[in-house]
Amino acid sequence: MQPPNRLRHVRGDGRLAELDLLRFVAALAVLAFHYLIAFASVWGDRPAELFPAVAPIAGLGILGVELFFVISGFVILMSAWGRGLGAFARSRFVRLYPAYWLSLAAVAALYGLTGAKALDPKLSPGEYLVNASMFQRLFKVMDASGVYWSLWAELRFYLLMAVLVIIGVTYGRVMIFAGLWLAAALGAELLGNEVLNEIVMPRYAPYFVAGMSLYLVHKNRNAVLPWLYVAGGYVLSVHSALERVHGRIKLAGIKSMPVSDLSVIITITLVFAVMSLVALGAFRLRPSRTLAALGATTYPLYLFHSVVGVALIPLLAARMAPWAAALTTALAAVLLSYLVYSLAERPIQRLLKPRRRPQTPPASAVNVEKAAVP
C-alpha cells in the first residue's frame, strides 16, 4: 500500500484514467444539451419537441460544465503542487490557447465564408482579435462562441491559483485559501456586488473549491477537514445549479427546457458523489489508449461541437430524421475533435512547450495539464 500522501491510480504522464472518462462524459452532456435542447435557431424548430423522449435528460447536460469545474479544481491543484509560477503559467497557456485559437478561426471562417446564420455572434474583425486573448468579457466584447463563457471562469480560477502558487502550495495554505474563497463566495452571493462577483465567482467557486478539497483527500485519505469544504461546496453548488437552470427556463420556457428541480439536485449530487469516489480511490479505471484518446479529445470537442452543429444540422435535417441528423453530427464532431487534437493541437503544444530538464518530479507535480479543462 502506498503512503497516504502519495497519489494513487496515476498514469505515467500524471493523468487519472477515470477523469479522462468523466471529462468526455461531461463534454457529451454539453453537446447533448446544445444539440437536443438549446439549438432552436440551428434546427429551425424547438429541439425539445423534436426529441421529447430524452429532453428532460438532455436538458441536464447544461450541468456538464459544472462537472468540468469540479474536475478542474482537482487537477489544477494537482498540477500546481510543487511548481513555480513560471511553470504553472506556461502549462496553462500551452493547454488552453492552441485549441482555442483553432476553434476561434473555425468560428470566423464559418460565418465569414459560408452562409451560416444560426448563432452568428456578428463580430467585427477587431472583436475577433479581442476574443483571441480569451479576455473578451473583461472588455465587454461578446464571445465568438457560446461555449467560451466557461473559459473566462477557468481563467479567473487560474489567476487566483497563481496567487497561491506564488505564496507556495502546501496543505495548510490550500485549506486557508479554499476556506477564504468559499466564505467570500457566500458573502458575494449575499451582497450581489458586480465587481466582487467577477473576482470571487460565487456561482462557480463552490465547484472549484470542492474539487481542490477532494484532491487533498486524494493525497491523504485520512484527511477530515477537506470534507467540510466539500459539504459546503455541495450546498452552494446545488443553489448555483438551480439558479442557472431557472435562468434558462425563464429565458426559453419550460417546454424548451423541461427540467425539474429534483433532477438538478440529483445530478449535482451524482457529480459530487462520483468525484468523491475518485478522490477515495473507489472509482478506478485501468489506463488505456482508448481512455487517453477520449480525454485528449474532450477539450476540442467542447470547443468545436457548436461549429459542427451549425454547419451540419441544417443540411442533414433536411435529408434525414432528426435523430439520425443529431447522431451523425455528434459523431462528426467527435471525429473532427480527435483530428484537431492529433493533427493540430498536440503538434502545436509540443512546439510551444519548453523542453524540461531531465528530473524526477514529485508525484503530485507530474504533468496533468490535459485533465484540467473541458
Side-chain angles (χ1 to χ4, degrees), residues 23-293:
R23 290 173 61 241
F24 189 73
V25 168
L28 287 183
V30 174
L31 180 150
F33 169 68
H34 286 150
Y35 286 8
L36 307 181
I37 295 293
F39 281 4
S41 62
V42 176
W43 286 98
D45 200 348
R46 185 179 289 168
E49 295 183 354
L50 297 175
F51 310 100
V54 297
I57 302 299
L60 294 170
I62 192 175
L63 301 175
V65 177
E66 277 70 0
L67 174 55
F68 278 133
F69 286 161
V70 179
I71 295 174
S72 186
F74 188 106
V75 298
I76 292 302
L77 179 56
M78 185 194 298
S79 177
W81 208 289
R83 277 187 170 177
L85 180 61
F88 176 73
R90 283 194 301 270
S91 71
R92 294 300 88 222
F93 178 85
V94 170
R95 178 54 187 150
L96 277 182
Y97 278 91
Y100 175 77
W101 286 332
L102 291 170
S103 74
L104 182 62
V107 172
L110 176 68
Y111 295 112
L113 302 178
T114 75
K117 300 297 182 184
L119 308 180
D120 186 353
K122 295 181 172 62
L123 301 181
S124 67
E127 289 172 324
Y128 273 108
L129 286 176
V130 174
N131 265 262
S133 71
M134 212 182 286
F135 283 84
Q136 60 270 16
R137 291 199 166 207
L138 184 64
F139 300 103
K140 307 301 181 182
V141 173
M142 184 177 179
D143 294 322
S145 174
V147 299
Y148 290 173
W149 73 267
S150 68
L151 301 182
W152 177 230
E154 288 280 351
L155 274 176
R156 286 177 286 169
F157 172 45
Y158 297 166
L159 291 173
L160 290 172
M161 281 298 299
V163 175
L164 181 59
V165 171
I166 292 172
I167 297 171
V169 182
T170 66
Y171 176 90
R173 290 168 183 167
V174 172
M175 288 295 294
I176 293 172
F177 174 89
L180 290 175
W181 192 10
L182 200 61
L186 178 59
E189 182 71 15
L190 296 175
L191 292 174
N193 182 273
E194 184 176 349
V195 175
L196 187 60
N197 285 348
E198 281 295 308
I199 298 171
V200 176
M201 299 184 292
R203 296 297 171 88
Y204 314 130
Y207 302 104
F208 292 125
V209 170
M212 294 170 66
S213 302
L214 287 170
Y215 174 68
L216 293 180
V217 172
H218 187 71
K219 275 184 69 70
N220 183 355
R221 291 178 187 166
N222 295 321
V224 176
L225 289 178
W227 287 110
L228 297 178
Y229 293 168
V230 175
Y234 169 75
V235 172
L236 293 178
S237 294
V238 168
H239 169 73
S240 175
L242 287 171
E243 287 296 303
R244 197 154 90 87
V245 171
H246 290 166
R248 180 71 193 184
I249 293 174
K250 183 177 180 180
L251 177 68
I254 190 65
K255 290 184 178 180
S256 295
M257 183 66 174
V259 173
S260 69
D261 286 359
L262 178 60
S263 65
V264 171
I265 295 171
I266 291 174
T267 300
I268 295 299
T269 302
L270 286 175
V271 166
F272 274 71
V274 171
M275 287 301 298
S276 295
L277 292 176
V278 170
L280 292 170
F283 174 32
R284 309 177 185 180
L285 293 177
R286 185 184 299 275
S288 68
R289 291 184 178 180
T290 300
L291 287 175

Side-chain angles (χ1 to χ4, degrees), residues 31 35 305 308-310 312-313 316 324-334:
L31 180 150
Y35 286 8
H305 75 271
V308 176
V310 171
L312 290 187
I313 286 176
L316 297 177
L327 181 59
T328 302
T329 303
L331 292 174
V334 172

